[in-house]
Amino acid sequence: MTFSPIITGPGIIGYRYLTETRESQQAVLAESAEVSRLTDGFVEELNSIETADQLLANRDVLTVVLGSFGLQDDIGNFGLLKRVLESDLSDSSSLANRMPDTRYLELARAFNFVGEGGPSLAVLEVSNPARDQLARFETADDLLNATSFADRNVLNDVLEQFGLEQYAANTNFLKRVLESDPDEVGSFTNRLLDQGLIEFSRAFNNVEKEAERAKYDNTIYRFAELFEDEAANIKTVDDLFAKPELLDEALNLFGVSRAADRTDFLRDVLESDLDDENSFVNQQEDPRFFSLANAFQFHERSEREAFRATFAEDDENRPRPFESNLEKMVEAINDLPGPLEEPQQFLENFDVLLSAKGFFGLEFRDADNDPQFATQGELEAFQYDRILSSDRSDPFSFVNVKSDPRFRVLADAFNFQPPQEDTFTYPDGFAEKILENYLDEEFVISVGEVDPTQRFALAFEPGVTEIVDGASSEDSEWFSVIASNPLREVFQTIFGLPDSFGTLDVDQQVADLKARTQSQFGVTSVSGLIDGGHIDTIRTRYLSIASITNPPSTVSSPLLSLFA
């Protein structure tokens, strides 16, 4: 069965029918012989492909993939496709980054065969041009101190996208913005209350960099970073409950996040007297709750501070202010120049070793009962080394066979295990989204074979939206319109421009299009047309004019099929 779309008439009549029946017509397209041959089993086949070579070797899968990006004409161009698919996206000189047609970059970013992070479903759903431009810069200094002309232009383009051109020369200020966490309520950027700066910071802190930092999530380093300015201020359970993000971080670190919603239970745990064997926390089977309470020491703090209050302010015998295990651990970790790389560094850093012993509440058996060790310190060093060196992915490793789960908490917190080699996997829904985009593209193509004006009309709104999302300036929007045959056709038609218009200098074309847009719609940019709600008006006007000047050669209609 060969699919032919049903169009009931020219112009706006045919367009309305197409949009109203698109879902059902596209379902018929999916069942047509050629399309179903390509798409049956596509999801399973794509999910088994892990390299560019494997994709290029499977012509049916490649046909659908290229079709979903509108690149179906490149089906035989294996050399180009291989270089695009294996481009280093962090390298501005790689082929995918240099291709003027951004569809190739979208293809490379979606599959990302050779880069970190693997395939991206987000690329198939929405494009963030600022994030795309900033992705290749590892640090704020790399961006702000760029030496090449192209890299310097990235900063200017992105600042323009967010309306922040006034900050272009203030690199110290921009550095603080870029190094600020846009997801932290009290961060430098969020205190500025400027949405443009917040979005700029968020674009810079892109998915790729977050993936790099993710290896430190749920570790003692992330914990210490979040508690750095708060540890000394958390003196009661209520102080901790008032900062739910910190409470969640603590529960995650100790592996007891399941108790997050049990407020009364957590209060009883955290306020327990750790020295009383009959206290609430000492009655719990899971010793990680003891470690959690031992980290904050709320009960001991209240007793110590009550005792300290009995002394006069100027009494030389007055005890020093109480410092909890939490404060000692956070200070020891934040004093490090960087994360510890191996267990030996942990054992050699006295502050970290001593703080960890109190913070995690681990106890080792007495060395007197084990002649292998001369002192308790030797025993503890040996045990710490075995814990931190354990392969946590091995169910029979030392840390995993120990009955006390706090050993695993310590191992996870310092995370000395070498990172596992990433396996190439597609996000859930990736193949399905490729297939959906392919069917959308095929439907539009089939419409164009019957009535090209309807194809241009269907592609108009998605086309201008994509241009606005990816352009860095008003002129670049219009350059993209000129470079797109469907969009150029729509604007030339509604403005009554001759075919010879395309032979003019491109700057003159842009100036003419802006002037005519200003005259008829009161704006000079493509984004202004979207914001002003003019898209429907333009499409309707185009269809009305095109149906008169360029009537379709044939019109497929349900009535016509009765006489076939």
Side-chain angles (χ1 to χ4, degrees):
M1 176 183 67
T2 300
F3 175 76
S4 180
I6 298 172
I7 305 175
T8 57
I12 193 64
I13 297 174
Y15 177 80
R16 286 174 178 167
Y17 183 81
L18 271 177
T19 55
E20 289 171 0
T21 63
R22 179 167 183 168
E23 184 176 348
S24 59
Q25 291 207 55
Q26 205 154 305
V28 175
L29 167 67
E31 296 298 325
S32 64
E34 178 62 20
V35 172
S36 62
R37 185 188 68 77
L38 289 170
T39 58
D40 284 350
F42 170 80
V43 172
E44 292 76 12
E45 287 196 63
L46 179 60
N47 284 331
S48 69
I49 289 174
E50 299 182 358
T51 67
D53 286 335
Q54 290 175 353
L55 176 58
L56 295 173
N58 191 322
R59 188 176 181 85
D60 287 350
V61 171
L62 181 62
T63 298
V64 175
V65 167
L66 295 179
S68 71
F69 289 91
L71 297 172
Q72 52 271 24
D73 292 341
D74 282 320
I75 187 63
N77 201 344
F78 295 124
L80 172 69
L81 293 173
K82 181 176 173 63
R83 287 189 61 192
V84 167
L85 290 166
E86 294 183 345
S87 286
D88 179 357
L89 299 177
S90 65
D91 180 1
S92 60
S93 64
S94 65
L95 182 62
N97 280 317
R98 290 189 290 109
M99 294 286 282
D101 189 335
T102 59
R103 293 176 298 176
Y104 292 99
L105 178 59
E106 291 173 2
L107 173 66
R109 288 182 57 240
F111 282 87
N112 196 18
F113 282 118
V114 299
E116 294 183 6
S120 170
L121 180 62
V123 173
L124 302 178
E125 296 176 331
V126 63
S127 176
N128 184 326
R131 185 193 63 206
D132 298 344
Q133 289 176 283
L134 295 170
R136 66 176 180 266
F137 298 97
E138 293 293 328
T139 68
D141 287 332
D142 291 341
L143 172 64
L144 299 173
N145 300 323
T147 56
S148 72
F149 177 77
D151 285 350
R152 289 199 304 272
N153 267 354
V154 169
L155 177 61
N156 294 330
D157 285 347
V158 173
L159 290 176
E160 186 176 346
Q161 288 181 48
F162 293 111
L164 303 173
E165 300 94 323
Q166 68 271 30
Y167 299 111
N170 196 342
T171 54
N172 289 331
F173 173 77
L174 291 176
K175 180 179 172 67
R176 293 194 66 186
V177 169
L178 293 173
E179 293 181 345
S180 179
D181 185 351
D183 296 321
E184 183 180 328
V185 175
S187 68
F188 174 76
T189 300
N190 283 319
R191 292 200 304 271
L192 296 172
L193 301 178
D194 185 318
Q195 192 60 36
L197 290 170
I198 293 171
E199 291 306 319
F200 176 44
S201 175
R202 193 177 302 282
F204 185 73
N205 287 278
N206 56 69
V207 175
E208 290 80 2
K209 294 176 193 145
E210 287 299 325
E212 174 63 22
R213 288 194 293 266
K215 62 182 178 182
Y216 295 121
D217 285 353
N218 297 327
T219 66
I220 194 65
Y221 308 107
R222 170 69 172 168
F223 179 91
E225 178 185 351
L226 293 177
F227 275 85
E228 182 173 13
D229 298 325
E230 300 292 345
N233 300 322
I234 300 177
K235 300 179 178 180
T236 68
V237 174
D238 288 326
D239 291 338
L240 180 59
F241 284 176
K243 298 184 179 298
E245 71 281 3
L246 297 184
L247 173 61
D248 288 343
E249 193 71 22
L251 296 179
N252 287 334
L253 185 75
F254 286 99
V256 292
S257 55
R258 67 183 186 278
D261 297 327
R262 301 169 63 190
T263 306
D264 292 340
F265 172 82
L266 286 175
R267 180 180 293 279
D268 289 339
V269 164
L270 292 165
E271 291 182 342
S272 288
D273 181 353
L274 301 175
D275 296 324
D276 180 1
E277 62 181 16
N278 296 314
S279 67
F280 184 80
V281 72
N282 282 317
Q283 299 303 308
Q284 303 305 311
E285 293 184 3
D286 191 336
R288 290 176 297 183
F289 288 111
F290 177 90
S291 293
L292 176 68
N294 186 64
F296 289 93
Q297 296 179 285
F298 290 129
H299 182 272
E300 186 174 351
R301 179 188 289 276
S302 64
E303 288 191 338
R304 292 275 197 93
E305 292 188 348
F307 175 68
R308 186 169 182 268
T310 63
F311 291 79
E313 288 284 344
D314 57 353
D315 192 334
E316 62 180 16
N317 296 315
R318 190 183 194 206
R320 297 175 61 186
F322 180 75
E323 187 178 29
S324 66
N325 288 324
L326 168 72
E327 294 169 80
K328 296 173 185 175
M329 187 80 260
V330 168
E331 183 178 2
I333 293 298
N334 286 328
D335 281 345
L336 292 172
L340 301 175
E341 299 294 336
E342 56 185 24
Q344 188 60 34
Q345 292 179 332
F346 172 89
L347 297 173
E348 292 172 351
N349 192 303
F350 183 73
D351 286 343
V352 173
L353 176 62
L354 192 62
S355 299
K357 182 177 179 180
F359 182 77
F360 292 99
L362 285 173
E363 296 180 3
F364 302 105
R365 67 186 187 279
D366 196 325
D368 293 339
N369 298 322
D370 192 334
Q372 180 183 352
F373 303 101
T375 66
Q376 182 71 15
E378 286 185 10
L379 168 65
E380 291 182 357
F382 175 75
Q383 294 281 45
Y384 274 124
D385 185 63
R386 291 192 69 187
I387 293 168
L388 297 172
S389 300
S390 280
D391 182 354
R392 287 168 290 147
S393 65
D394 180 359
F396 300 106
S397 66
F398 177 79
V399 74
N400 285 325
V401 299
K402 299 295 288 185
S403 59
D404 191 332
R406 291 176 294 179
F407 287 88
R408 178 63 186 245
V409 169
L410 176 68
D412 288 343
F414 282 91
N415 192 23
F416 286 119
Q417 186 171 319
Q420 299 296 310
E421 188 173 332
D422 290 337
T423 57
F424 189 88
T425 57
Y426 295 98
D428 290 341
F430 182 90
E432 289 81 358
K433 186 62 179 175
I434 289 280
L435 185 56
E436 178 186 331
N437 290 352
Y438 168 73
L439 292 173
D440 284 343
E441 184 72 17
E442 284 296 300
F443 180 75
V444 172
I445 291 173
S446 66
V447 167
E449 291 172 350
V450 175
D451 185 349
T453 63
Q454 297 293 349
R455 177 180 181 177
F456 294 156
L458 287 173
F460 180 66
E461 185 168 2
V464 292
T465 301
E466 183 177 349
I467 280 176
V468 170
D469 286 343
S472 59
S473 67
E474 185 174 290
D475 282 357
S476 67
E477 291 177 356
W478 286 112
F479 286 134
S480 297
V481 167
I482 292 170
S484 166
N485 183 51
L487 298 182
R488 186 181 66 252
E489 170 68 21
V490 170
F491 281 104
Q492 281 193 198
T493 299
I494 67 168
F495 291 144
L497 297 169
D499 292 339
S500 60
F501 178 74
T503 64
L504 298 176
D505 178 79
V506 289
D507 289 327
Q508 181 59 47
Q509 291 184 51
V510 167
D512 200 340
L513 288 170
K514 289 169 69 173
R516 291 172 185 268
T517 303
Q518 170 67 41
S519 174
Q520 296 192 29
F521 300 102
V523 296
T524 58
S525 65
V526 180
S527 54
L529 292 173
I530 295 177
D531 294 340
H534 300 299
I535 299 303
D536 284 342
T537 302
I538 293 174
R539 183 170 47 225
T540 299
R541 185 181 300 178
Y542 165 72
L543 286 167
S544 299
I545 297 172
S547 64
I548 298 172
T549 59
N550 297 300
S553 56
T554 59
V555 176
S556 177
S557 164
L559 295 177
L560 292 177
S561 65
L562 295 176
F563 302 98

